[in-house]
Amino acid sequence: RKSQVSSAAAVAAATALGATKSHGDPGPPQRDRFRKRCAQATVLTVLTLQNCFLMVVTSYSRSLPGPQYLASTAVLAGEVLKTAIILGALLYRHGVCGVMTLLGSEILRKRGQTARFAVPAFFYTIQNNFWYYGMGNLDSVTAAVTSQLKVPSTALFSVWLLKKDLSWMRWAAICMLVFGLITMQLHTDSELPVKTARHVADHP
């Protein structure tokens, strides 16, 4: 009897402990899901801040008096910086030997695929040069509003050309983005006559 009572008590204790762990400890799947959401929120916040600072700093630097820097120089410096960051991340994750093996297998051996990347890279370079030209002639708000048109255009072309299906939530987000762009553009256009009148009054 004592053995039966002790075994029953052990089973009850183990069951209670398991229930406590299941309620108190979220478990590996829930922890991984929480970490994934935190990483997504962090990346989204960093990208938002990066885009805001990029537009403001670029617009300010292009409006400074004196000789202007070349847009091609800024594009080249940005690409060199991104390449250094990517290589640093690869070195941290794979090491020197792993990076050399990865570059050889993914870039040098797949020459055809690497050559195909030259086409979008060429247009990306042209787009970046036009970006600096536009930032030198537009204010930061107008440039930010206009640059966000790439989101609905990308969605439309992905549905039209790639035959992808977008959920209603994504379509709702795109519609909200377009509504915000139109509102900001109308607000900017309404302030333009006032700024023009002040400029004429200050500089007769």
Side-chain angles (χ1 to χ4, degrees):
R1 289 182 180 179
K2 292 184 179 180
S3 61
Q4 292 177 355
V5 171
S6 60
S7 61
V11 171
T15 304
L17 183 60
T20 304
K21 287 185 177 181
S22 62
H23 290 287
D25 191 5
Q30 295 183 2
R31 284 200 300 267
D32 295 340
R33 193 180 301 113
F34 177 74
R35 291 175 182 174
K36 183 178 180 181
R37 290 181 179 178
C38 290
Q40 291 175 348
T42 303
V43 170
L44 180 61
T45 304
V46 171
L47 286 177
T48 303
L49 294 176
Q50 185 261 340
N51 286 330
C52 293
F53 281 112
L54 175 64
M55 294 174 187
V56 173
V57 172
T58 306
S59 179
Y60 175 74
S61 63
R62 300 297 287 181
S63 62
L64 292 176
Q68 296 288 331
Y69 59 87
L70 296 176
S72 57
T73 304
V75 173
L76 179 61
E79 297 304 319
V80 170
L81 179 61
K82 287 188 287 187
T83 303
I85 293 174
I86 293 173
L87 287 178
L90 290 176
L91 287 172
Y92 176 78
R93 184 173 183 179
H94 301 286
V96 179
C97 297
V99 170
M100 297 301 294
T101 304
L102 187 63
L103 293 178
S105 61
E106 296 295 331
I107 296 178
L108 298 179
R109 294 181 182 177
K110 299 179 181 179
R111 296 184 181 90
Q113 183 177 357
T114 304
R116 284 194 292 268
F117 281 111
V119 177
F122 173 74
F123 288 106
Y124 182 73
T125 304
I126 295 177
Q127 184 257 337
N128 280 339
N129 283 274
F130 280 127
W131 162 263
Y132 282 97
Y133 178 78
M135 293 300 295
N137 295 275
L138 297 173
D139 59 287
S140 58
V141 177
T142 305
V145 170
T146 307
S147 65
Q148 294 304 314
L149 290 174
K150 61 187 176 183
V151 177
S153 61
T154 303
L156 292 176
F157 279 112
S158 64
V159 173
W160 179 36
L161 297 177
L162 302 178
K163 307 300 181 182
K164 289 187 175 181
D165 295 330
L166 298 180
S167 62
W168 66 269
M169 186 176 295
R170 294 185 179 181
W171 282 117
I174 292 173
C175 292
M176 291 178 61
L177 175 62
V178 172
F179 178 76
L181 295 178
I182 295 173
T183 305
M184 290 295 298
Q185 190 63 38
L186 291 176
H187 180 69
T188 304
D189 293 340
S190 64
E191 290 184 350
L192 184 59
V194 178
K195 292 182 179 180
T196 305
R198 289 178 180 177
H199 181 75
V200 173
D202 295 337
H203 302 84

